[in-house]
Amino acid sequence: MLTELRHMRALRVVALLPLLLVFSGLAEAFYIPGWSIKSYGDKEQIPLLVNKVYSDNTQLQYAYFDLPFVCPPTGQRRYGGLLSGQSIPLNIGEVLRGDRISTSDIDISVGQNKECSYLCTRQISRRELNRAKEMVRDGYVVEWIVDNLPGATSFVTVDKTRKYYAAGFKLGFTDSSSGRSRYFLNNHHTIVLRYRKAPGRAGDRGNKVIVGFEVYSKSIGPSNRRLESGCPASLRNIDQNFELYLAPNRTSTEDPNRYAKSSYRPNPADEIIDEDDGALLSIPYTYSVYFQEDNSVEWSRRWDLYFVNQEEGSKIHWLAIINSLIICGLLTGIVLMIFAKTIRSDIKGYKDAAVEEGKGRRRRGRRTAGTAGSGAGSTTPTGGEKMPVSSVGVGSGGLFDQDGGGSVDMSALDADVLSSDDEALEDVTGWKLLHGDVFRKPAYGSLLAPLIGSGMQLLFMAFGLVFLSAVGVLNPSFRGGFISFGVGLFVFAGVFSGYFSARVYRTFDGQNWRRNTFVTAILFPGLIFSAVFVLNLFVWAQASSTAIPFGTLVGILVLWLCIQMPLVYAGAWYGYVRVGPWEHPTKTSAVPRQIPRQAWYIRDIRSVLLAGLIPFAVIFIELLFVFQSLWQDKSGYYYVFGFLAVVSTILILTIAEVTVITIYIQLCSENYHWWWQSFMVGGGSAIWVFLYCIWYYFAKLHITGFVSSLLFFSHSFIACCVYALLTGTVGFLSTYAFMRRIYG
């Protein structure tokens, strides 16, 4: 007992290592609304951080300072000793989501309004000009950060009663009113910081807290008069917007040999010229800063403005929950009916038949024993012979007494015994005939066990993320926290992966548990890592911040091989050596039973597709909001995790019930190959989710470019595989519990 306690303590210490390593760098970033308040005194500098640019029309993000047409950092010392352009330390979640946060040269001091400040003049070549046009055309949005708040564009709800924020501001805009597309760049930014008196003692000292960060961008062309400082003479009366345009090189476009064999003659204004001919376009950048007191917003509620637009969809969320509850309720009724009527009566008949069969055997045994004990010279009567009643162990006055002397026709007795046995067993059909085959180990059980282990690992991670998000620990202000905690929980859950994989493996009579442990630790994480690495090569080629840095890949590799693998081994050792297999309630026969021809709807892929439709119907409304946040409206935040938690719970119950019903129908058709089938039926809705992704791509999105399309379909496929593994594990374990119940 003492040794076991020591082993358990060691497991707990080892299991906490990944959490300590992954989350040790997150202490400063951790934030719960109402806590970690940062206040500023008058004239105190506030750093403005620049992050990245992103678009709803592409999956490629870029670091702001990597853009060739924005003001580069000067390297001057700014707030807190940071240098302009210096990168801010990021957690693993921020790196994986493409954040590249750096200090800017924009000077902001509390309470100091600036009508206009000159930042720089950037000169760009034709190649850089074309890059700017492409990004404006793709609708890229800029993300700046002040006091952990993203710079936002302010909007008003449809009924014009409430204001809400959309994170980021446009890089530029396109005008096609003249018949051709013209691209304009926003080169002046008006920064509005909303503040209120700080709570507590800091407020008594006159400190202030930031409750809003808005950015309004303008495009100011070269025809507008500028002062010696570089600022426009007027920011209100703009005569011309700043167009991204350089006069074409006439020598190039008017070359007579260029289109000698064609009647086509390009319009020089429309032609995009890739070659650098030395022509440069000067872009002046300026900014304004205004502080506005706003006592209507509490500091702890300052993020609410980013979610107001989502509140309007709460009715649809409730509709999704009601839809899910109706489907789950119907399935629950079916399962209860199976248990209350069919299963209960079948189990009773199954056990009664076994009792009757035992009685029949005892009768035949007594008859045989009585015949053998009638004397050395006696012989067993043949059909039609008579023998005394006493010789079959029935006394005078018994059930078989005859009026004329007490002899019994043995052929009639045998027929009567066999008839009673047949009547007792005639109802034993369908699933009751499979008691000797239903727990026969499946083909490729050594592959199924690691998949179940990885599914439990994902289930633990998903439960932890949804729970922490629903209670508010993980929120948008904790930038990168969702992914960071996801990585930490996944690594920590290696203990559960090894434990369940080892127990399932031993239940399948597996002998080489170390090999199973290695496969469990390598199979799923290795496939995901390989896919991400290959996709990363395409993103690297685009110089996008979406690409995972090499150092981060090495860090993930260390987490996987040096922390997760030992945890998987520890869990597998405990599950295989200390706990052992699950005991089956029935013994498996030596000869497999022949499976009759199956109905069309029971066959493997068809039953998977049909059963997968029901869980998909539970989640497809909520999926619309998730997809919109991930792909279509990246300037918003998905923060309705309470609804997601409810829908996820209903989804788990629905998958368990659908799988049980599907496998029960299969057993009634005398098909005992349920191990893999339960796993595939549980994950069958992933097929419909992936088809939904394909429909969403063509119907809702406007993604352009091969790499962006590749990223969309690859990420969607990986997400669906993760979902299938998780839900397949739920289906497998619920079906196994059902089997043990009805055959136990």
Side-chain angles (χ1 to χ4, degrees):
M1 183 65 180
L2 183 59
T3 304
E4 185 175 350
L5 288 175
R6 289 174 179 171
H7 285 307
M8 291 298 295
R9 290 172 182 170
L11 279 175
R12 291 172 184 168
V13 172
V14 174
L16 288 175
L17 285 177
L19 293 178
L20 295 175
L21 290 174
V22 174
F23 302 147
S24 59
L26 305 181
E28 295 183 1
F30 184 72
Y31 166 90
I32 297 179
W35 300 78
S36 307
I37 298 178
K38 173 64 177 176
S39 62
Y40 301 92
D42 288 336
K43 298 183 180 181
E44 182 178 352
Q45 281 192 329
I46 303 177
L48 188 147
L49 308 177
V50 297
N51 188 3
K52 61 187 178 183
V53 294
Y54 55 88
S55 171
D56 295 337
N57 299 321
T58 176
Q59 303 306 310
L60 298 176
Q61 305 173 124
Y62 297 94
Y64 182 78
F65 277 145
D66 288 345
L67 302 181
F69 50 86
V70 302
C71 288
T74 61
Q76 296 179 359
R77 190 167 298 279
R78 310 302 300 175
Y79 170 85
L82 296 175
L83 300 178
S84 170
Q86 181 177 346
S87 297
I88 303 299
L90 305 176
N91 58 52
I92 189 172
E94 290 175 308
V95 175
L96 293 179
R97 69 194 292 265
D99 289 348
R100 303 294 184 267
I101 303 177
S102 304
T103 309
S104 73
D105 283 300
I106 296 178
D107 185 22
I108 301 177
S109 298
V110 176
Q112 304 296 306
N113 293 334
K114 295 182 179 181
E115 185 176 354
C116 181
S117 292
Y118 174 76
L119 192 59
C120 80
T121 297
R122 183 69 185 263
Q123 292 186 330
I124 61 174
S125 64
R126 290 190 186 276
R127 192 180 304 276
E128 295 165 340
L129 175 66
N130 292 335
R131 175 75 183 282
K133 287 182 178 180
E134 292 174 358
M135 301 194 75
V136 170
R137 180 194 62 199
D138 290 338
Y140 271 88
V141 173
V142 183
E143 181 179 328
W144 288 355
I145 302 170
V146 168
D147 194 40
N148 202 36
L149 283 176
T153 303
S154 178
F155 295 94
V156 179
T157 56
V158 178
D159 57 4
K160 298 182 179 181
T161 59
R162 303 179 68 182
K163 182 176 74 172
Y164 69 92
Y165 286 161
F169 56 91
K170 288 289 186 180
L171 188 64
F173 60 93
T174 304
D175 181 16
S176 302
S177 59
S178 61
R180 64 183 183 89
S181 297
R182 301 172 63 191
Y183 305 100
F184 298 90
L185 182 70
N186 293 323
N187 58 342
H188 179 85
H189 303 97
T190 300
I191 300 169
V192 178
L193 293 172
R194 300 186 179 275
Y195 70 93
R196 64 173 297 152
K197 181 181 177 181
R201 295 181 179 178
D204 297 337
R205 295 193 301 267
N207 286 10
K208 302 175 178 62
V209 292
I210 305 299
V211 295
F213 174 29
E214 303 169 7
V215 180
Y216 302 94
S217 54
K218 288 184 178 181
S219 180
I220 303 177
S223 64
N224 295 274
R225 189 173 66 88
R226 290 183 176 270
L227 305 176
E228 293 182 0
S229 62
C231 288
S234 174
L235 292 174
R236 295 184 178 180
N237 301 319
I238 305 299
D239 298 331
Q240 182 188 34
N241 294 322
F242 191 92
E243 184 177 3
L244 293 170
Y245 174 77
L246 268 176
N249 184 349
R250 297 296 178 181
T251 304
S252 173
T253 58
E254 296 178 0
D255 183 3
N257 297 323
R258 189 172 187 182
Y259 302 102
K261 298 181 180 181
S262 173
S263 61
Y264 170 73
R265 292 295 181 269
N267 184 350
D270 293 337
E271 186 176 19
I272 296 178
I273 303 173
D274 291 330
E275 56 188 330
D276 285 333
D277 56 0
L280 297 175
L281 176 65
S282 296
I283 307 176
Y285 283 94
T286 54
Y287 67 94
S288 304
V289 179
Y290 294 98
F291 282 84
Q292 293 183 1
E293 187 173 6
D294 188 350
N295 293 318
S296 63
V297 180
E298 295 287 343
W299 187 90
S300 60
R301 311 288 298 180
R302 62 180 187 165
W303 277 87
D304 290 0
L305 288 173
Y306 294 88
F307 311 135
V308 169
N309 197 35
Q310 294 186 14
E311 293 177 3
E312 296 181 355
S314 60
K315 293 182 179 179
I316 303 178
H317 287 289
W318 282 113
L319 177 63
I321 291 178
I322 294 173
N323 168 71
S324 304
L325 286 174
I326 291 174
I327 296 175
C328 186
L330 291 175
L331 292 173
T332 303
I334 295 174
V335 172
L336 291 178
M337 182 182 67
I338 291 175
F339 272 109
K341 294 183 178 180
T342 309
I343 294 297
R344 181 175 296 178
S345 60
D346 285 350
I347 291 176
K348 184 177 182 300
Y350 168 65
K351 293 181 177 179
D352 290 345
V355 172
E356 291 296 331
E357 183 179 6
K359 290 181 179 179
R361 288 175 180 173
R362 286 196 297 271
R363 291 171 186 167
R364 289 191 293 271
R366 287 197 299 269
R367 183 194 66 199
T368 305
T371 304
S374 60
S378 64
T379 59
T380 303
T382 60
E385 294 183 3
K386 306 283 186 178
M387 68 178 297
V389 174
S390 60
S391 66
V392 293
V394 181
S396 60
L399 179 64
F400 299 117
D401 282 353
Q402 303 290 331
D403 292 337
S407 62
V408 178
D409 188 346
M410 287 305 301
S411 62
L413 180 61
D414 289 340
D416 181 66
V417 172
L418 293 175
S419 176
S420 64
D421 291 344
D422 292 340
E423 290 175 359
L425 294 174
E426 66 180 356
D427 290 333
V428 184
T429 58
W431 67 270
K432 291 163 287 185
L433 296 174
L434 305 179
H435 61 88
D437 297 275
V438 73
F439 292 109
R440 189 179 303 280
K441 62 182 180 181
Y444 306 106
S446 58
L447 175 61
L448 181 58
L451 293 179
I452 297 301
S454 297
M456 286 302 300
Q457 187 176 10
L458 292 171
L459 186 62
F460 177 84
M461 180 193 73
F463 174 81
L465 287 177
V466 173
F467 174 77
L468 292 175
S469 300
V471 299
V473 174
L474 299 180
N475 53 75
S477 63
F478 185 4
R479 189 174 291 102
F482 192 87
I483 299 178
S484 298
F485 268 80
V487 172
L489 290 172
F490 181 81
V491 173
F492 167 74
V495 174
F496 301 99
S497 174
Y499 174 81
F500 280 92
S501 175
R503 291 204 68 183
V504 172
Y505 180 72
R506 190 165 184 184
T507 302
F508 293 158
D509 297 330
Q511 301 300 321
N512 192 350
W513 70 275
R514 289 183 175 84
R515 176 180 175 274
N516 175 74
T517 303
F518 179 78
V519 173
T520 303
I522 292 295
L523 180 61
F524 175 73
L527 291 175
I528 296 296
F529 184 85
S530 301
V532 170
F533 182 79
V534 172
L535 291 175
N536 216 41
L537 297 178
F538 289 92
V539 183
W540 267 335
Q542 301 294 320
S544 170
S545 66
T546 309
I548 303 174
F550 181 76
T552 304
L553 286 176
V554 173
I556 294 174
L557 203 62
V558 170
L559 282 175
W560 172 27
L561 298 179
C562 299
I563 298 180
Q564 192 218 2
M565 282 192 69
L567 289 175
V568 174
Y569 184 90
W573 172 84
Y574 188 78
Y576 190 92
V577 177
R578 305 289 296 182
V579 181
W582 283 291
E583 297 294 336
H584 297 321
T586 63
K587 293 184 179 180
T588 302
S589 60
V591 180
R593 184 182 182 85
Q594 186 175 2
I595 300 175
R597 183 178 179 84
Q598 302 292 294
W600 67 270
Y601 54 85
I602 301 178
R603 296 173 186 174
D604 294 343
I605 187 63
R606 297 175 185 177
S607 63
V608 170
L609 290 174
L610 290 174
L613 265 176
I614 300 176
F616 175 72
V618 169
I619 62 170
F620 84 96
I621 297 179
E622 195 65 31
L623 271 181
L624 183 64
F625 289 93
V626 175
F627 282 11
Q628 183 177 356
S629 178
L630 287 176
W631 308 113
Q632 198 173 4
D633 186 15
K634 297 176 183 176
S635 59
Y637 294 95
Y638 182 86
Y639 197 56
V640 284
F641 287 99
F643 289 107
L644 183 63
V646 174
V647 173
S648 299
T649 303
I650 298 174
L651 174 66
I652 296 299
L653 294 175
T654 302
I655 290 172
E657 293 170 346
V658 166
T659 310
V660 165
I661 294 172
T662 304
I663 298 303
Y664 174 74
I665 295 173
Q666 177 178 317
L667 293 177
C668 290
S669 299
E670 301 181 21
N671 185 349
Y672 53 86
H673 293 314
W674 64 270
W675 298 98
W676 276 104
Q677 187 70 1
S678 64
F679 181 79
M680 291 188 293
V681 168
S685 56
I687 300 175
W688 295 103
V689 173
F690 186 70
L691 294 176
Y692 186 70
C693 292
I694 297 175
W695 172 84
Y696 196 85
Y697 175 84
F698 290 103
K700 297 291 185 179
L701 301 182
H702 304 284
I703 293 178
T704 58
F706 169 76
V707 175
S708 294
S709 299
L710 176 66
L711 290 176
F712 173 84
F713 285 109
S714 300
H715 290 163
S716 299
F717 181 76
I718 292 173
C720 289
C721 289
V722 170
Y723 171 81
L725 197 56
L726 189 154
T727 54
T729 300
V730 172
F732 174 87
L733 294 178
S734 57
T735 303
Y736 186 50
F738 173 76
M739 291 296 182
R740 291 170 61 87
R741 172 67 181 85
I742 66 174
Y743 286 100

